């Protein structure tokens, strides 16, 4: 299986703070790679660095073997990477429809098909098609954000803690949709909710204090209680 | 250590320059040069007061003329309405200090909570209100045209006045140097470098900014007094944006956050103004001298945000000391809003 | 009645001119977080270049187009060379755009001389109509019409086109727009160009309205435009048109009834809004 994205010893500063101090991982095409780690470990910063929203000062970020580390955010996005940020990044004053329209790059049949598919998955979005994004519930915002990232033919989706602050039943719904998208794209999923992550993920990386400290297949982590306790604070 | 040594050597240089300037009228008697230099000293005081805001606290005020104008009008009105005597003059100084302190305190409290753009505009609006007041309150200000007035005996002689301006500038310089090196001044610089961090360290940023604006306002008022006395005339121009712009140009070109820079900037601008106006007789383009400064100023903001003095200091300390932070360097990150 | 109508028309016309200046300011602020203190300079450049082209070619329309073009070119230069290097640093932005304002006004004097220049209304727009004893000056109506048309056009652009959608989204969340593959720098430049073009158009239209143009007109109108931007809410396009009309009307009526307080009243209004409702009267950036 080929590698879609590869980070090698990536280091990132935010202002004067050395946030990422050595992140390395590989994302195989067609799989869900889960990034785990406690609060403040640097998971979000890792995704932002891939998107070019923070700039890596050292190391390399290879997407399909091409260095994208110093590209501007928009051209990284245009290479086929979709981003669902931690705060969902919904344009509050734009309607659901407009939120999706901003994202659409090519208005063709294929896009329409993808849109129909994702709207079937999230019927709420269809229901509130003309409602301003700011008035959606937390779960609906999450769905909108995912739909927006999915609607283009992206090869890789970065999804940051989609379960954050959602009721368990909504989390399930969101996770189910990610499960379904899995067949169509490659996904990097940041998730604190280990149960959820472990059902969807193929492999995992643990980030601690800005470094990738451990990795393996998801099954491995399911069995290794001690590692879970050590890095994730859960049993 | 290094700083101490450096500043000792600098102190000697400052002393020599001040001594030279003090002796100048006795060795080289040129009336026009004395007038020009007095003007430089007065604007140096104004520019130093501006530097407290821009260079030391990292805020841009567009209303600094307000305090300058208050000083100018106060002394003018006192000399005109009462007698041009020393006692009334001193009273005028006192009233100026009180007025500028009160006004800068109130305006500061109202404006300094706002983000930089809004602050700049609101101070501009307040200065605008004072300008309108000076235009319309004719019974006191004689409207747009202003009025002339006589000055007390001890201010009449050009040489004496020159020396008074020089001494004022030196005193203000020393006081502000002390002020900026005091713990309070350090907090201000911390605010300039990182407002949030200072706030999170438990300092009330607003309170410190207000203090800076009061100090700066009072000193600008003093500059206004000297200015009006030097002309023996005052009109609404003292409240215009041009005064603020002058202070800004001088501070930026000389070097922000250094105080000496403000003095040097005042010298450069006043002297060039003088010479370029002379040159205007040769070619009209020199009448548009401000354009040169506008361009230099833009280049300075872009490439030498620390101005002449700041850049020199940086060169000097490059290896020994961490470079001082350029003007108002907020955290520069892509797309922060 | 006659007086009321004329004061209203006058106020509306002035309001529209201020709107042309303020609209660009507010859009640029909303999208780029840049308050362009040199915007008044673009306004004055529009006036000078437009009037110059108008008197040289004899065609008012060509003058208007020339003004807009000049404004756009200057806008691109400003964005690219002056503002771009200092994005994200507010203090430097304020300082540098102010410096540019100085240079722009002085350059006007270098190119066209320091004296004011007279500007005449083209024949087909001069004169007035009379309706039942009420005299209505044609040129004022023309300004109102143009201002209104520009408002509708920009409104259409913002609400109905993809680039407008991107601009509105950018005002709300710049990072996200980029993460969706939009080159925001290009959008910045586009908006700056439009804003500068509108400002220049405003300056050009002011010429025949006031009869003369002079270098400081940029600063004078810019102050009114700043007031409008604050009252309307920084970043709010509809807010800017409402506030511009408000300021225009209040200016016109105050100038007639209490002339001493006209500008002061607007300044006070802005101060009060800034102190009590810094997001503006008509909503603000989302
Ligand atoms: N703008 C910033 N300035 C300074 N420090 C920051 C900034 N953004 C993030 N950090 C710091 O970087 C570290 C990593 O943050 P990040 O958001 O990547 O963590 P995370 O793993 O996503 O945490 P969480 O699970 O809480 O979302 C944290 O210590 C955080 O405080
Ligand atoms: Mg996070």
């Amino acid at each position: 299986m080929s590698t879609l994205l590869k980070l090698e010893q990536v280091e990132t500063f935010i202002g004067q703070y050395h946030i990422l101090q050595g992140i390395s991982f590989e994302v195989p095409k067609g799989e869900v790679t889960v990034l785990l780690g406690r609060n403040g470990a640097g998971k979000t910063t890792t995704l932002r660095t891939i998107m070019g929203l923070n700039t890596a000062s050292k190391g390399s970020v290879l997407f399909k073997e091409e260095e994208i580390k110093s590209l501007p955010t928009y051209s990284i996005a245009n290479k086929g990477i979709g981003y669902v940020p931690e705060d969902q990044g919904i344009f509050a004053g734009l309607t659901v429809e407009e939120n999706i329209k901003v994202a659409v790059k090519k208005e063709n049949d294929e896009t329409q098909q993808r849109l129909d598919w994702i709207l079937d998955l999230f019927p709420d979005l269809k229901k509130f098609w003309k409602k301003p994004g700011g008035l959606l519930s937390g779960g609906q915002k999450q769905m909108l954000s995912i739909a927006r990232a999915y609607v283009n033919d992206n090869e890789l989706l970065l999804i940051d803690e989609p379960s954050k602050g959602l009721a368990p039943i909504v989390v399930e719904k969101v996770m189910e949709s990610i499960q379904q998208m899995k067949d169509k794209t490659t996904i990097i999923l940041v998730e604190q909710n280990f149960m959820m992550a472990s059902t969807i993920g193929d492999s995992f990386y643990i980030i601690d204090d800005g470094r990738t400290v451990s990795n393996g297949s998801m099954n491995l982590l399911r069995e290794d209680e001690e590692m879970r306790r050590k890095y994730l604070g859960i049993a | 250590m290094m700083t101490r040594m450096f500043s000792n050597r600098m102190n000697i240089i400052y002393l020599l320059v001040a001594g030279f300037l003090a002796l100048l009228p006795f060795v080289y008697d040129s009336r026009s040069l004395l007038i020009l230099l007095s003007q430089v000293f007065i604007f140096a005081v104004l520019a130093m007061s501006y530097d407290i805001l821009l260079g030391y606290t990292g805020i841009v005020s567009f209303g600094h003329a307000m305090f300058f104008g208050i000083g100018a009008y106060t002394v003018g009105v006192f000399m005109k309405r009462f007698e041009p005597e020393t006692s009334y003059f001193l009273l005028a100084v006192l009233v100026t200090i009180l007025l500028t302190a009160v006004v800068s305190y109130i305006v500061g409290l109202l404006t300094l909570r706002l983000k930089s753009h809004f602050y700049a505009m609101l101070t501009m609006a307040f200065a605008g209100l004072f300008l309108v007041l000076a235009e319309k309150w004719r019974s006191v200000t004689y409207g747009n045209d202003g009025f002339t007035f006589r000055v007390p005996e001890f201010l009449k002689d050009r040489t004496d006045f020159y020396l008074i301006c020089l001494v004022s500038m030196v005193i203000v310089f020393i006081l502000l140097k002390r002020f900026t090196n005091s713990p309070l001044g350090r907090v201000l610089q911390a605010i300039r470098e990182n407002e949030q961090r200072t706030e999170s360290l438990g300092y009330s940023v607003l309170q410190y900014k207000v203090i800076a604006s009061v100090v700066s306002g009072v000193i600008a008022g003093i500059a206004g007094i000297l200015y009006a006395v030097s002309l023996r005339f005052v009109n609404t121009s003292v409240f215009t944006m041009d005064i603020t712009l002058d202070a800004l140009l001088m501070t930026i070109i000389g070097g922000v956050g250094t105080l000496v820079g403000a003095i040097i900037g005042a010298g450069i601008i006043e002297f060039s103004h003088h010479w370029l106006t002379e040159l205007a007789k040769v070619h009209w383009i020199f009448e548009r001298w401000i354009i040169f400064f506008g361009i230099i100023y833009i280049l300075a903001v872009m490439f030498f945000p620390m101005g002449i003095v700041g850049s020199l200091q940086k060169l000097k300390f490059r290896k020994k000391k961490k470079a001082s932070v350029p003007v108002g360097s907020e955290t520069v990150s892509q797309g922060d809003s | 009645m006659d007086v009321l109508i004329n004061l209203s028309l006058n106020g509306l016309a002035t309001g529209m001119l201020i709107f042309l200046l303020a609209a660009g300011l507010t859009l640029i602020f909303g999208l780029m977080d840049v308050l362009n203190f040199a915007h008044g300079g673009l306004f004055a450049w529009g006036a000078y270049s437009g009037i110059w082209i108008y008197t040289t070619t004899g065609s008012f329309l060509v003058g208007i187009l020339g003004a807009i073009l000049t404004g756009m070119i200057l806008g691109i230069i400003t964005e690219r060379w002056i503002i771009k290097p200092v994005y994200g640093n507010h203090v430097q932005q304020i300082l540098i755009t102010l410096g540019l304002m100085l240079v722009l006004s002085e350059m006007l004097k270098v190119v066209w001389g320091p004296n004011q220049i007279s500007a005449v209304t083209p024949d087909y727009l001069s004169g007035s109509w009379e309706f039942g004893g009420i005299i209505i000056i044609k040129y004022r109506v023309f300004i109102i019409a143009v201002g209104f048309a520009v408002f509708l056009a920009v409104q259409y652009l913002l609400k109905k086109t993809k680039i407008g959608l991107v601009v509105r989204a950018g005002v709300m969340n710049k990072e996200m727009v980029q993460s969706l593959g939009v080159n925001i720098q290009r959008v910045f430049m586009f908006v700056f160009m439009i804003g500068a073009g509108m400002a220049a158009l405003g300056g050009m239209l002011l010429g025949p309205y006031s009869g003369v143009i002079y270098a400081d007109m940029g600063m004078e109108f810019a102050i009114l435009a700043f007031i409008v931007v604050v009252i309307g809410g920084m970043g709010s396009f509809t807010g800017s048109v409402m506030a511009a009309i408000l300021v225009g009307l209040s200016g016109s009526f105050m100038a007639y009834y209490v002339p001493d307080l006209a500008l002061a009243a607007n300044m006070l209004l802005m101060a009060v809004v800034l102190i009590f409702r810094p997001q503006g009267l008509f909503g603000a950036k989302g």
Side-chain angles (χ1 to χ4, degrees):
Chain A
M1 193 161 294
S2 69
T3 300
L4 187 61
L5 181 80
K6 185 172 178 186
L7 272 71
E8 271 171 1
Q9 287 302 319
V10 167
E11 298 189 23
T12 300
F13 282 81
I14 300 181
Q16 76 233 48
Y17 304 105
H18 198 174
I19 305 290
L20 301 187
Q21 311 191 1
I23 298 279
S24 307
F25 63 83
E26 285 184 33
V27 178
K29 202 170 166 65
E31 289 194 0
V32 174
T33 305
V34 180
L35 301 183
L36 296 159
R38 56 181 124 222
N39 289 111
K43 306 179 294 292
T44 298
T45 310
T46 303
L47 296 193
R48 287 176 58 85
T49 303
I50 297 171
M51 283 313 291
L53 292 165
N54 292 123
T55 313
S57 55
K58 282 209 191 108
S60 67
V61 181
L62 300 173
F63 182 62
K64 295 195 280 192
E65 288 169 1
E66 181 195 354
E67 177 65 77
I68 58 168
K69 178 175 77 168
S70 40
L71 292 181
T73 297
Y74 74 93
S75 49
I76 293 175
N78 286 335
K79 295 219 175 286
I81 303 183
Y83 181 40
V84 180
E86 200 168 3
D87 65 2
Q88 294 121 23
I90 299 302
F91 303 112
L94 301 188
T95 62
V96 171
E97 179 186 17
E98 290 172 324
N99 263 281
I100 288 179
K101 251 188 161 170
V102 181
V104 170
K105 284 168 203 154
K106 286 177 249 147
E107 293 197 32
N108 55 18
D109 288 351
E110 202 204 316
T111 307
Q112 192 58 47
Q113 272 164 25
R114 301 176 71 87
L115 183 59
D116 291 343
W117 186 82
I118 195 88
L119 287 181
D120 284 341
L121 212 54
F122 300 129
D124 275 13
L125 295 184
K126 237 189 298 189
K127 200 158 109 203
F128 298 121
W129 195 234
K130 295 282 182 190
K131 192 172 172 176
L135 299 181
L136 297 178
S137 75
Q140 290 161 346
K141 277 186 187 150
Q142 197 67 59
M143 294 170 195
L144 176 54
S145 190
I146 292 173
R148 200 172 54 182
Y150 180 79
V151 73
N152 285 307
D153 184 19
N154 286 322
E155 283 181 75
L156 174 66
L157 295 187
L158 315 179
I159 307 180
D160 199 348
E161 288 200 54
S163 68
K164 197 178 180 182
L166 300 188
I169 182 158
V170 186
V171 173
E172 226 160 274
K173 172 89 198 133
V174 169
M175 286 303 163
E176 209 182 285
S177 69
I178 295 176
Q179 183 86 47
Q180 297 205 29
M181 280 192 282
K182 199 177 151 176
D183 304 333
K184 304 176 185 255
T185 57
T186 310
I187 293 171
I188 300 180
L189 179 66
V190 167
E191 194 43 76
Q192 299 264 20
N193 187 327
F194 178 71
M195 281 316 291
M196 288 300 158
S198 72
T199 52
I200 302 180
D202 296 304
S203 60
F204 74 91
Y205 285 82
I206 292 179
I207 296 178
D208 198 42
D209 260 342
R211 289 171 217 272
T212 30
V213 288
S214 168
N215 71 298
S217 79
M218 215 62 212
N219 298 333
L220 189 84
L221 191 61
R222 263 193 288 267
E223 279 144 31
D224 194 340
E225 198 176 306
E226 196 191 325
M227 188 181 327
R228 290 206 308 255
R229 191 168 301 127
K230 186 171 166 205
Y231 291 115
L232 309 174
I234 48 172
Chain B
M1 276 317 198
M2 205 50 216
T3 343
R4 181 61 43 86
M5 252 170 66
F6 181 72
S7 82
N8 270 343
R9 205 167 68 218
M10 282 316 285
N11 282 343
I12 294 173
I13 296 178
Y14 293 155
L15 226 93
L16 285 176
V17 173
F20 169 76
L21 287 172
L23 291 176
L24 188 69
F26 305 104
V27 292
Y28 181 73
D29 188 23
S30 153
R31 198 179 134 81
S32 66
L33 183 67
L34 287 194
I35 293 178
L36 183 57
L37 278 172
S38 307
Q39 207 72 3
V40 170
F41 302 152
I42 294 169
F43 275 95
V45 172
L46 178 69
M48 282 191 280
S49 77
Y50 199 79
D51 199 17
I52 293 295
L53 293 179
L54 179 61
Y56 286 91
T57 322
I59 44 189
V60 186
S61 163
F62 280 177
H64 211 52
M66 165 165 56
F67 308 111
F68 188 79
I70 289 177
Y73 267 98
T74 306
V75 76
V77 169
F78 266 73
M79 295 297 97
K80 180 96 179 165
R81 292 284 155 140
F82 308 113
E83 293 301 311
E85 282 167 8
T86 311
S87 53
Y88 286 113
F89 177 78
L90 293 179
L91 196 60
V93 174
L94 210 67
V95 170
T96 298
I97 293 176
L98 272 176
L99 270 180
T100 47
V102 170
V103 172
S104 58
Y105 182 76
I106 295 173
V107 171
L109 270 189
L110 289 176
T111 55
L112 284 164
R113 308 164 192 278
L114 300 172
K115 269 174 57 176
S116 46
H117 300 127
F118 298 85
Y119 173 77
M121 290 175 56
L122 192 48
T123 49
M124 181 161 78
F126 275 115
L129 288 176
F130 272 92
L131 177 60
V132 172
L133 185 72
E135 277 170 6
K136 306 296 178 196
W137 196 7
R138 293 209 178 79
S139 57
V140 174
T141 63
Y142 300 89
N144 258 331
D145 301 336
F147 57 93
T148 55
F149 56 86
R150 287 179 299 141
V151 295
E153 213 46 54
F154 78 103
L155 292 169
K156 278 198 174 137
D157 183 69
R158 281 291 161 196
T159 311
D160 290 349
F161 184 68
Y162 167 90
L163 290 173
I164 288 171
C165 290
L166 176 61
V167 170
S168 306
M169 178 182 83
V170 171
I171 292 177
V172 167
F173 176 70
I174 293 171
L175 284 181
L176 289 183
K177 207 71 200 170
R178 292 239 154 155
F179 175 71
T180 52
N181 284 329
S182 71
L184 207 153
R186 302 251 169 253
V187 177
L188 293 180
Q189 287 165 62
I191 292 174
R192 175 194 67 191
E193 284 170 37
N194 190 333
E195 192 165 330
Q196 271 104 20
R197 181 157 31 111
T198 317
E199 183 89 56
S200 66
L201 287 175
Y203 295 98
S204 158
V205 166
L206 176 67
Q207 201 177 322
Y208 282 93
K209 282 184 173 176
V210 170
I211 295 175
S213 109
V214 170
V215 169
S216 161
V218 169
I219 292 184
I222 306 273
I225 295 182
L226 292 172
Y227 181 73
V229 169
S230 78
L231 299 177
R232 293 165 200 191
F233 167 74
V234 58
N235 71 357
T236 49
S237 70
V238 290
F239 277 120
T240 56
M241 184 85 185
D242 292 358
I243 298 288
T244 306
L245 281 180
D246 274 345
L248 191 59
L249 280 180
M250 290 167 183
T251 315
I252 296 268
I253 288 179
V256 289
T258 59
L259 292 179
V260 200
I263 299 179
I264 294 175
I268 293 176
I269 300 273
E270 285 299 322
F271 268 90
S272 337
H273 180 29
H274 183 74
W275 283 325
L276 291 171
T277 316
E278 291 285 302
L279 276 175
K281 289 171 198 148
V282 183
H283 193 285
W284 62 272
I285 188 96
F286 292 106
E287 192 150 339
R288 305 261 68 87
W289 59 279
I290 195 122
I291 210 168
F292 300 117
F293 286 103
I295 291 167
I296 294 176
Y297 164 100
I298 290 179
L299 294 176
V301 173
M302 231 186 266
F303 301 109
F304 308 101
M306 285 169 284
I308 296 175
V309 173
S311 304
L312 285 179
Q313 275 180 359
K314 191 179 166 195
L315 272 183
K316 210 158 193 125
F317 284 126
R318 184 160 277 170
K319 295 192 190 83
K320 277 146 192 154
K321 193 181 139 197
K322 230 187 105 201
S324 66
V325 173
V327 49
S329 68
E330 299 162 40
T331 39
V332 183
S333 69
Q334 201 195 3
D336 85 333
S337 54
Chain C
M1 192 58 196
D2 193 6
V3 170
L4 280 188
I5 288 182
N6 266 307
L7 285 180
S8 304
L9 280 180
N10 203 357
L12 270 178
T14 314
M16 282 304 172
L17 294 179
I18 305 173
F19 157 72
L20 287 174
L21 194 53
L25 268 181
T26 208
L27 283 178
I28 291 166
F29 179 85
L31 187 64
M32 307 179 216
D33 207 22
V34 168
L35 194 54
N36 179 17
F37 284 98
H39 213 60
L42 303 173
F43 181 82
W45 267 86
Y48 272 79
S49 59
I51 295 294
W52 180 75
I53 294 171
Y54 165 37
T55 36
T56 323
T57 64
S59 161
F60 189 61
L61 191 66
V62 173
I64 287 184
L65 295 178
I68 296 176
L69 195 67
T70 311
M72 286 180 162
I73 292 170
L74 282 175
I76 290 176
I77 295 173
T78 305
E79 202 274 339
R80 186 92 181 66
W81 302 102
I82 303 289
I83 292 183
K84 205 167 170 193
V86 294
Y87 269 130
N89 187 329
H90 288 156
V91 172
Q92 271 188 305
Q93 274 169 15
I94 297 174
L95 295 176
I96 208 161
T97 53
L98 189 71
L100 181 66
M101 179 71 202
L102 273 184
V103 173
L104 284 178
S105 332
E106 286 300 309
M107 277 302 277
L108 278 179
K109 296 180 194 163
V110 170
V111 178
W112 282 286
N115 302 323
Q116 56 182 36
I117 292 175
S118 65
V120 291
T121 318
D123 287 341
Y124 52 94
L125 290 173
S126 49
S128 52
W129 293 296
E130 204 189 317
F131 297 107
I134 300 171
I135 291 167
I136 290 172
I137 294 169
K138 281 188 195 166
Y139 193 73
R140 283 184 196 165
V141 177
F142 170 71
I143 289 182
I144 297 170
V146 173
F148 198 63
V150 171
F151 170 74
L152 288 181
V154 175
Q155 193 72 342
Y156 176 85
L157 188 80
L158 284 175
K159 290 276 150 78
K160 301 281 181 218
T161 64
K162 177 75 191 267
I163 178 107
L165 184 61
V166 169
V167 170
R168 282 186 294 144
V171 170
M172 295 169 211
N173 188 339
K174 255 176 293 191
E175 277 195 351
M176 198 60 222
V177 170
Q178 296 177 79
S179 305
L180 293 173
V182 173
N183 181 354
I184 199 106
Q185 299 289 346
R186 284 230 201 108
V187 182
F188 282 0
M189 183 164 281
F190 174 76
V191 167
F192 216 98
M193 207 179 71
I194 298 280
M198 282 196 280
L201 170 64
M204 167 65 187
L205 292 179
L206 176 63
Y209 184 50
S210 66
V212 288
I213 53 174
Y214 47 98
D216 290 333
M217 65 190 260
M219 199 60 197
E220 277 168 29
F221 262 75
I223 289 178
L224 290 175
F226 286 135
I227 293 175
V228 160
V229 168
V230 168
I231 295 176
M234 294 237 194
S236 160
F237 180 70
T238 20
S240 77
V241 73
M242 313 260 252
I245 291 174
L246 184 73
V247 166
L249 286 175
S250 100
S252 142
F253 278 89
M254 292 286 269
Y256 188 76
Y257 292 108
V258 261
D260 278 1
L261 297 178
L263 182 63
N266 279 329
M267 290 262 194
L268 263 182
L269 185 56
M270 164 163 105
V272 170
V273 169
L274 271 178
I275 291 164
F276 295 105
R277 219 185 126 79
Q279 74 274 35
L281 290 183
F282 305 94
K285 66 186 281 195

